[in-house]
Amino acid sequence: MMIGKNMDYAQQSIGKPALLLLLFIGIFYGLFVWSSSIGNPFNAVQKESICTPSNTTTDIYVPQQDELEKALSKASMANRTVIIAIVNKAYADQDVRADTTMLDLFLESFWLGVETRPLLDHLLLVAVDQTAYDRCQFLRLNCYKLETDGVDFGGEKIYMSEDFIKMMWRRTHFLMEVLKRGYNFIFSDTDVMWLRNPFSQLSKNETEDLQISTDMFFGDPWSEKQLINTGFYYIRSNNKTITLLNTWYSKKDNSTGQKEQDVLSNLIKGGIIKQLNLTVRFLDTLYFSGFCQASKDFRAVTTVHANCCRSITAKVKDLKAVLNDWKRFKKISSYRRLANVTENLRWSEHLGCRNSWGSVNKSTSTHA
């Protein structure tokens, strides 16, 4: 019994100094860490800088490493500019009677265009259905799948139908999200043929917020009376342009019977450019042309849009003719002795699109 008591006493006598020693070490370590944080505040700043990107405002850019941010970052140029096109099954998948698709023609134009091939690295193809996304992946492009609950955007949408209008507004909402993330972009419909690098004709003046194509050009690039077309435009990300797209999208539920292009046109006529202190350039159809008003000069034309057309079948037919005309121009202009002949070259007639307006089969209607 005496031995047991002596052992208990020994354990207690040893344990108390050990506890005091541990307590002392803990206090000393806490003081060391506290003094280090005061002496070297860079540690805290460094952690904060990882979450807060430089040269951006919180209104424009919220860093999120989600799938969209990854896709945008991968496609982006050094100055945070991307090229965006939106595609669905009707534009990406061949009909049983077709020998090509709108998407195929769109990509072919990058191959045939002047200084356009490298731009494919910066093209983000946004697929609104699984078939279009699978096709994009197969082509090894930069792809992003845009999910929309409760809506099937896979099939061809009849011009001005309810689903067509929903798809146009969904597109506007997506593009607004891209701006908010701090990316500038060219948006291009896939029925736009890129025959030259558009950056060679677009203004490099960073004070110009929006450069937008027109159906008809009336000579003044600053006139708000121009007939705009939202199928091709270049927009810079800043607070003014984000407000523009926010305002534009906010009209969605109060614009029955109007497509998103009509709503933006009305906002411009209503003075929103001045209200937001925007600088907007309306693009000359000599360079950024279309079927509504074709460029008269093959030596200047940059893009050709199959606007003023009603069906995918008609668009494909006439855009194939556009690419053939372009190949003919390139062939002739390659011979020095025939260089002057290119002045008189004219586009083939857009017979498919012209006749599409009289088509009885409205199921093949699409936007102009």
Side-chain angles (χ1 to χ4, degrees):
M1 294 294 292
M2 182 62 69
I3 294 172
K5 288 181 179 179
N6 290 337
M7 290 181 66
D8 291 341
Y9 176 78
Q11 288 175 354
Q12 290 175 5
S13 63
I14 294 171
K16 288 179 181 178
L19 288 173
L20 288 172
L21 179 61
L22 288 173
L23 180 61
F24 175 76
I25 291 172
I27 293 170
F28 178 78
Y29 179 75
L31 289 171
F32 174 76
V33 172
W34 176 72
S35 62
S36 296
S37 65
I38 292 175
N40 186 16
F42 176 74
N43 289 335
V45 174
Q46 188 178 40
K47 289 177 182 177
E48 183 180 350
S49 68
I50 293 171
C51 299
T52 307
S54 60
N55 300 324
T56 57
T57 67
T58 54
D59 290 338
I60 293 177
Y61 180 67
V62 179
Q64 300 176 55
Q65 282 303 317
D66 55 10
E67 292 304 312
L68 176 56
E69 184 63 31
K70 291 175 185 175
L72 289 168
S73 178
K74 182 182 176 186
S76 176
M77 302 175 191
N79 64 350
R80 294 182 68 81
T81 299
V82 294
I83 301 163
I84 297 175
I86 296 180
V87 65
N88 68 350
K89 178 181 178 181
Y91 277 61
D93 197 27
Q94 283 189 21
D95 183 79
V96 67
R97 293 169 295 179
D99 58 359
T100 190
T101 67
M102 192 78 75
L103 177 59
D104 292 336
L105 293 175
F106 179 63
L107 298 175
E108 180 71 6
S109 73
F110 282 82
W111 173 257
L112 295 172
V114 177
E115 298 180 355
T116 49
R117 293 181 190 178
L119 295 179
L120 275 181
D121 292 337
H122 305 293
L123 170 66
L124 178 61
L125 205 61
V126 179
V128 297
D129 59 73
Q130 190 61 45
T131 300
Y133 183 72
D134 291 343
R135 179 67 174 162
C136 179
Q137 294 278 73
F138 176 78
L139 293 168
R140 300 294 189 268
L141 301 170
N142 297 314
C143 312
Y144 175 74
K145 187 177 179 185
L146 181 61
E147 303 282 358
T148 306
D149 294 336
V151 182
D152 176 20
F153 288 140
E156 185 174 359
K157 302 307 172 190
I158 300 173
Y159 181 62
M160 295 306 292
S161 68
E162 184 178 349
D163 277 354
F164 167 80
I165 292 173
K166 281 182 181 178
M167 187 163 69
M168 294 300 101
W169 282 118
R170 183 66 184 94
R171 179 177 86 178
T172 303
H173 184 272
F174 171 78
L175 296 173
M176 179 174 64
E177 175 66 20
V178 174
L179 280 186
K180 287 181 177 179
R181 290 171 182 250
Y183 289 92
N184 318 306
F185 62 82
I186 288 180
F187 173 76
S188 176
D189 278 342
T190 48
D191 60 352
V192 176
M193 301 294 100
W194 289 47
L195 304 181
R196 287 187 172 89
N197 185 337
F199 289 104
S200 63
Q201 286 298 333
L202 291 168
S203 172
K204 296 175 179 60
N205 187 341
E206 293 188 4
T207 65
E208 294 186 20
D209 303 297
L210 172 65
Q211 300 176 61
I212 189 166
S213 63
T214 57
D215 283 338
M216 304 287 289
F217 185 72
F218 301 124
D220 181 359
W222 310 111
S223 172
E224 297 174 16
K225 295 180 181 180
Q226 303 287 358
L227 301 177
I228 64 166
N229 191 300
T230 54
F232 183 95
Y233 61 91
Y234 177 38
I235 188 166
R236 297 183 185 276
S237 175
N238 57 49
N239 289 332
K240 293 186 292 182
T241 56
I242 291 171
T243 301
L244 173 64
L245 263 73
N246 264 317
T247 305
W248 183 12
Y249 186 74
S250 71
K251 304 294 182 183
K252 173 175 70 75
D253 297 326
N254 298 314
S255 54
T256 305
Q258 291 183 309
K259 59 184 181 294
E260 81 336 321
Q261 179 175 293
D262 300 329
V263 174
L264 180 59
S265 180
N266 290 337
L267 284 172
I268 292 172
K269 291 174 183 175
I272 197 168
I273 293 177
K274 186 176 181 180
Q275 292 166 19
L276 297 180
N277 195 29
L278 290 160
T279 302
V280 178
R281 179 188 295 271
F282 301 93
L283 298 173
D284 191 339
T285 53
L286 175 67
Y287 306 102
F288 300 92
S289 72
F291 292 175
C292 297
Q293 187 178 49
S295 172
K296 293 181 171 60
D297 192 344
F298 274 78
R299 299 166 301 175
V301 67
T302 301
T303 60
V304 177
H305 187 188
N307 51 9
C308 290
C309 193
R310 201 161 173 243
S311 74
I312 289 179
T313 303
K315 285 173 182 273
V316 167
K317 177 182 178 181
D318 288 351
L319 287 175
K320 286 168 69 176
V322 166
L323 292 183
N324 282 333
D325 290 344
W326 179 249
K327 286 186 283 187
R328 181 165 54 97
F329 161 75
K330 289 179 69 179
K331 183 71 173 178
I332 293 173
S333 58
S334 67
Y335 297 106
R336 187 174 300 177
R337 68 181 185 279
L338 298 177
N340 292 333
V341 176
T342 60
E343 292 184 43
N344 302 315
L345 287 179
R346 293 291 177 265
W347 300 102
S348 300
E349 292 280 339
H350 311 308
L351 296 177
C353 286
R354 183 184 301 172
N355 295 333
S356 69
W357 293 101
S359 174
V360 176
N361 185 7
K362 293 184 179 182
S363 65
T364 59
S365 299
T366 188
H367 67 94

